[in-house]
Amino acid sequence: MRIENSFIPVRGVGERTEQNLWTGGVLTWDDFDPAAAPVGTKTGERIESFIADSLERLDDGDARYFGDVFPSGERWRLYENFREEACFFDIETTGLDSSRHDVTTVSFHRGGETTTLVRGDTLTADALREQFRDVSLVVSFNGKRFDVPFLEESFDVSVDLPHVDLMYPCRRLDLTGGLKRIEKDVGIDRDRPDLSGRDAVRLWHRYERDGDDDALDTLVSYNRDDTVNLKRLMDLVAGTLHEESLGGIDGATCDLPARELV
């Protein structure tokens, strides 16, 4: 599923209308003909206007525009277009209250590489801003309610970027519970499946109190696994949601030539 397969941002186009367009052979924007499409005149005009604006925005690589116009539950569709500029991130903290507890580590996975920032060393507001710079799309698990607000309050930074919080698309696929539970359910492995968020707090206190570098190494490894596995989960979720929507139409394909983004 690519952005060019999508009509749902248009006012008057819901899931049923979009499905009717696809089953009628209108699989991409290039296929849309207002005279032949199964929509009313006004809706057809709005679709034409949306396509014209969106083609220009897509050529400009304007992920923020699509993050704004797509319903929050459909932002997973941005992934295929902006996967190269997507940043998967996860934080570890000493508790759940950003006014009383601290961020200990933050890991970022992008372009096949993972970076971890550590409290008291590399974790600063400037370093966070640098990691989010030139990012088109952020991907997290429960990051909208937890990770992003925690970072913004703790470091006075703004993470105002198109955001796919995987907790919600997972729920559409009846994948519930925490990230570790979902990883297990879909067959994603990690090096230390025995560790949990509580262990992450314990490991940090061992490092901070006792100077236990092994505890810090284990914490960093745990945090890095979260972000790497977010990428694997995003690939799986996007593929499954595609098959349940556009991919469920006989003969449908979303194999469009990649546009050069500038």
Side-chain angles (χ1 to χ4, degrees), residues 11 38 57 74 153 157 181 196 214 249 253-254 256:
R11 181 165 58 90
R57 300 281 191 161
E74 301 297 335
E153 182 169 343
V157 298
R181 163 73 180 273
S196 68
D214 288 340
I249 299 170
T253 177
C254 63
L256 301 177

Side-chain angles (χ1 to χ4, degrees), residues 1-251:
M1 175 76 77
R2 294 175 63 88
I3 290 172
E4 299 98 316
N5 300 113
S6 302
F7 301 90
I8 206 163
V10 179
R11 181 165 58 90
V13 177
E15 290 183 13
R16 180 176 297 180
T17 300
E18 185 178 59
Q19 190 76 17
N20 289 339
L21 286 165
W22 291 338
T23 56
V26 186
L27 303 178
T28 74
W29 297 342
D30 290 342
D31 298 325
F32 183 74
D33 178 356
V39 294
T41 301
K42 291 295 185 182
T43 300
E45 289 174 354
R46 288 194 291 266
I47 291 175
E48 279 194 297
S49 177
F50 166 72
I51 291 172
D53 289 343
S54 295
L55 284 170
E56 184 175 345
R57 300 281 191 161
L58 198 55
D59 285 340
D60 289 341
D62 190 352
R64 187 179 298 275
Y65 167 77
F66 294 104
D68 289 339
V69 301
F70 270 71
S72 60
E74 301 297 335
R75 287 187 191 135
W76 64 271
R77 302 188 189 195
L78 278 62
Y79 179 57
E80 192 60 40
N81 292 79
F82 295 104
R83 64 164 57 232
E84 298 303 320
E85 301 88 24
C87 178
F88 303 82
F89 81 102
D90 181 77
I91 73 174
E92 300 299 335
T93 68
T94 57
L96 302 179
D97 186 346
S98 59
S99 66
R100 297 189 299 113
H101 299 118
D102 299 318
V103 181
T104 57
T105 62
V106 187
S107 286
F108 303 86
H109 184 71
R110 181 182 178 190
E113 304 218 350
T114 308
T115 299
T116 301
L117 305 178
V118 178
R119 179 175 177 78
D121 184 11
T122 53
L123 179 53
T124 65
D126 285 343
L128 288 169
R129 293 187 187 101
E130 182 62 30
Q131 288 298 320
F132 286 116
R133 186 171 291 126
D134 300 326
V135 168
S136 295
L137 184 70
V138 294
V139 183
S140 71
F141 190 93
N142 196 30
K144 285 187 176 181
R145 294 195 308 181
F146 185 72
D147 301 61
V148 167
F150 213 116
L151 286 180
E152 290 183 333
E153 182 169 343
S154 299
F155 293 93
D156 192 26
V157 298
S158 174
V159 190
D160 182 21
L161 293 162
H163 190 161
V164 177
D165 187 331
L166 271 172
M167 183 171 71
Y168 301 104
C170 281
R171 287 179 180 175
R172 288 179 58 175
L173 299 174
D174 293 325
L175 295 170
T176 58
L179 178 60
K180 315 304 179 296
R181 163 73 180 273
I182 292 173
E183 288 174 2
K184 184 177 180 181
D185 288 345
V186 300
I188 295 176
D189 298 323
R190 58 170 57 219
D191 290 338
R192 291 290 304 272
D194 55 310
L195 294 178
S196 68
R198 289 186 177 181
D199 293 311
V201 176
R202 175 180 56 80
L203 288 165
W204 175 258
H205 286 320
R206 275 176 48 192
Y207 166 70
E208 188 176 45
R209 181 186 63 242
D210 304 329
D212 187 339
D213 288 336
D214 288 340
L216 178 61
D217 289 344
T218 301
L219 172 61
V220 168
S221 176
Y222 171 80
N223 189 205
R224 290 167 72 89
D225 277 353
D226 281 347
T227 60
V228 172
N229 285 351
L230 279 174
K231 167 70 166 60
R232 299 170 68 186
L233 183 61
M234 182 74 242
D235 288 340
L236 186 151
V237 166
T240 305
L241 288 174
H242 164 74
E243 289 303 322
E244 291 192 354
S245 52
L246 179 63
I249 299 170
D250 288 343

